[in-house]
């Protein structure tokens, strides 16, 4: 079965591929040291060729095609196994409405239940990024005589063309990028 579709003899695989590998991050260091992080098992894809035949051929092709298009996990069940899969590829070759050869590839769905702890460097980088974002959010500028958004952008960002960034951040208080008021406080993103 694939989802709720019972596969007929000409639609079934002759065998189901099993086994797979490991998802590894391998780092080699000077002196011959090697660091290996194991992120879990990977599984071979299940693929086969078959054909739909008879008066239901078109309907059966559309049913599997719709399952692939939705992309939701479905159960693939054989006499021995029941596995959650996603239809990765489904390529029917429509010859007649009564004979449609196809190829299909299923990807096993594996639920990851444990997460790899973040490295200390990642935690420090996230803290620095969060602190920088807070600082950036708090910056503002008080408009002075002779200021334009382009002039403020040139002084703040080094690029006069970045005036639109200031305008977008202040659209709630600016009706036009050409009408700014002396003493007005602008947010500088």
């Amino acid at each position: 079965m694939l989802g709720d579709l019972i596969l007929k003899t000409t639609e079934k695989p002759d065998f189901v591929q099993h086994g797979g590998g490991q998802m590894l991050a391998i780092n080699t260091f000077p002196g011959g040291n090697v660091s290996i992080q194991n992120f879990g098992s990977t599984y071979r894809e299940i693929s086969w060729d078959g054909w739909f035949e008879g008066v239901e051929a078109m309907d059966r092709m559309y049913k599997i095609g719709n399952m692939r298009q939705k992309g939701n996990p479905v159960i693939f069940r054989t006499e021995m196994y029941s596995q959650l899969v996603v239809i990765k590829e489904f390529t029917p070759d429509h010859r007649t409405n009564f004979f449609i050869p196809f190829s299909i590839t299923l990807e096993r769905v594996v639920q990851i239940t444990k997460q790899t702890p973040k490295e200390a460097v990642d935690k420090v980088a996230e803290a620095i990024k969060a602190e920088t974002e807070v600082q950036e959010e708090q910056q503002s500028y008080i408009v002075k005589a002779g200021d334009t958004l382009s002039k403020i952008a040139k002084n703040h960002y080094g690029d006069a063309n970045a005036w639109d960034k200031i305008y977008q951040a202040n659209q709630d208080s600016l009706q036009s990028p050409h009408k700014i008021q002396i003493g007005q406080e602008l947010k500088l993103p």
Side-chain angles (χ1 to χ4, degrees), residues 37-52:
Q37 284 184 293
N38 186 337
F39 293 98
S41 299
T42 61
Y43 296 93
R44 292 171 60 191
E45 297 172 339
I46 302 168
S47 60
W48 72 93
D49 296 327
W51 65 89
F52 304 108

Side-chain angles (χ1 to χ4, degrees), residues 18 25 38 47 66 70 78 104-105 115 124 130 133 138-139 141 150 157 166 168 171-172:
H18 286 285
N38 186 337
S47 60
N66 288 335
K70 288 179 184 173
T78 67
I104 190 166
T105 301
Q115 294 183 358
V124 170
E133 287 173 352
Q138 295 173 350
Q139 290 184 357
Y141 178 81
S150 295
Y157 303 116
I166 298 171
Q168 295 299 325
Q171 276 190 323
D172 56 335

Side-chain angles (χ1 to χ4, degrees), residues 141-145 147-148 152 180-186:
Y141 178 81
I142 305 297
V143 177
K144 297 179 183 85
D147 278 343
T148 64
I152 297 167
I180 59 174
Q181 308 258 334
I182 295 172
Q184 184 176 17
E185 184 176 352
L186 298 175

